Amino acid sequence: MSNLKAVLIDLSGTLHIEDESTPEAVKALNRLRKCDLNIKFLTNTTKESRRNLHERLLKLGFQIKVDEIYTSLWAARELIIKEQLNNPLLLVDDNALEDFIDVNVKDDKYDAVVIGLAPQHFNRTTLNKAFRILLDGGRFIAINKSKYYMRKEGLALAAGAIVKSLEYATGIEATIVGKPNAEFFQGALDGFKPDETVMIGDDVLDDIGGARNLGIRGYLVKTGKYRAGDENKIDPAPFKCVDCFSAAVEDIVSSLR
């Protein structure tokens, strides 16, 4: 990979699982930084604001700048502002609301539904409210459509199941702003070409499949939400399937020698 100039890295499941880093991930990231590559962190996480996520990563020992983190929450915010939506119903975790501080929200006529992972809002009353807004012509925005993610106690349902249920009930397809959306990846490239870039992640569809659709090579790691055989779910297969983030870094560093 003599032409490699940029590395895109997933966070949850790849660098960390909740408040624990994956094996040797901190050391591996420090090693990767010495290779003079542009590094960007891409995440579909909607459980916390970018600031809170950055603070969590610093506590885990990762040397990451806040402006290196590109989140699907910010992509949703940018779309809301771009389309001049006046009053979206934000079904996101309370810890993520500060990323929408400059978005106008008032409890009256809603013109959009924005859904992330927000279990506290996934009740019959709130989902019926969202359902009616969509039937009345509201814009339908899904921050991501992930099926599941990894927690310490095991795999857990993500927002995708809720998004799909509302799509089914309304007949309206949601606009996905996070991975695997091509525009989300393009926004993270910072001018680098896809064939100069690699993606490292644990989600074969959102991370690796989304990157591959743009011509970005993908390292699928066997941590986080990875399940045996995931590498066979996309065609062509991932560029490489490795045990963990540190193994991907080892392979990248070796290829640059």
Side-chain angles (χ1 to χ4, degrees):
M1 291 192 291
S2 58
N3 69 330
L4 184 64
K5 296 180 180 178
V7 182
L8 307 179
I9 304 169
D10 172 55
L11 289 173
S12 179
T14 301
L15 283 191
H16 71 102
I17 296 172
E18 295 188 335
D19 293 324
E20 292 183 7
S21 60
T22 56
E24 301 296 316
V26 174
K27 291 181 180 178
L29 180 57
N30 291 339
R31 187 182 182 196
L32 187 63
R33 286 205 183 274
K34 296 177 182 178
C35 296
D36 194 29
L37 297 168
N38 185 74
I39 297 175
K40 198 91 166 186
F41 303 90
L42 276 66
T43 178
N44 272 349
T45 295
T46 64
K47 296 177 293 181
E48 56 194 338
S49 67
R50 185 168 71 162
R51 180 185 62 82
N52 288 336
L53 175 60
H54 179 241
E55 290 178 357
R56 181 211 292 259
L57 294 169
L58 291 180
K59 289 178 182 178
L60 291 177
F62 292 106
Q63 297 304 306
I64 294 175
K65 298 176 182 177
V66 68
D67 59 6
E68 291 179 314
I69 303 173
Y70 191 55
T71 76
S72 53
L73 284 170
W74 274 72
R77 171 187 168 276
E78 289 170 0
L79 181 61
I80 290 168
I81 293 171
K82 177 183 176 181
E83 297 198 356
Q84 299 182 330
L85 298 173
N86 294 317
N87 193 30
L89 175 65
L90 298 175
L91 300 186
V92 300
D93 194 285
D94 291 346
N95 290 324
L97 284 175
E98 70 177 70
D99 280 351
F100 297 91
I101 196 167
D102 54 353
V103 172
N104 184 35
V105 177
K106 50 188 181 296
D107 191 19
D108 56 10
K109 179 68 175 177
Y110 293 98
D111 59 359
V113 173
V114 180
I115 296 186
L117 181 61
Q120 71 269 39
H121 295 307
F122 294 161
N123 55 71
R124 187 174 182 84
T125 299
T126 304
L127 291 178
N128 271 333
K129 184 177 184 178
F131 169 68
R132 291 167 186 144
I133 293 168
L134 296 175
L135 287 183
D136 287 341
R139 189 78 160 84
F140 192 6
I141 299 171
I143 298 176
N144 65 68
K145 209 173 180 178
S146 298
K147 296 178 180 178
Y148 48 82
Y149 67 105
M150 179 57 76
R151 300 187 62 176
K152 287 180 182 178
E153 65 267 27
L155 292 173
L157 281 174
I162 302 299
V163 174
K164 289 289 285 186
S165 67
L166 283 171
E167 286 181 330
Y168 174 76
T170 63
I172 300 169
E173 185 175 355
T175 296
I176 312 299
V177 297
K179 296 177 288 185
N181 183 297
E183 291 183 7
F184 185 74
F185 280 95
Q186 288 170 339
L189 284 176
D190 286 339
F192 292 97
K193 298 177 182 177
D195 63 2
E196 298 172 334
T197 308
V198 296
M199 173 76 200
I200 306 173
D202 67 321
D203 190 316
V204 70
L205 299 177
D206 288 355
D207 295 333
I208 310 307
R212 184 209 61 196
N213 289 340
L214 259 69
I216 300 170
R217 291 162 290 188
Y219 283 87
L220 178 64
V221 297
K222 297 180 180 179
T223 54
K225 67 169 61 175
Y226 170 85
R227 305 195 76 192
D230 275 357
E231 59 270 33
N232 301 317
K233 291 181 178 179
I234 58 174
D235 184 23
F239 174 63
K240 289 191 178 179
C241 186
V242 295
D243 286 339
C244 58
F245 173 72
S246 61
V249 170
E250 173 62 35
D251 190 76
I252 291 169
V253 173
S254 296
S255 73
L256 294 173
R257 289 172 184 160

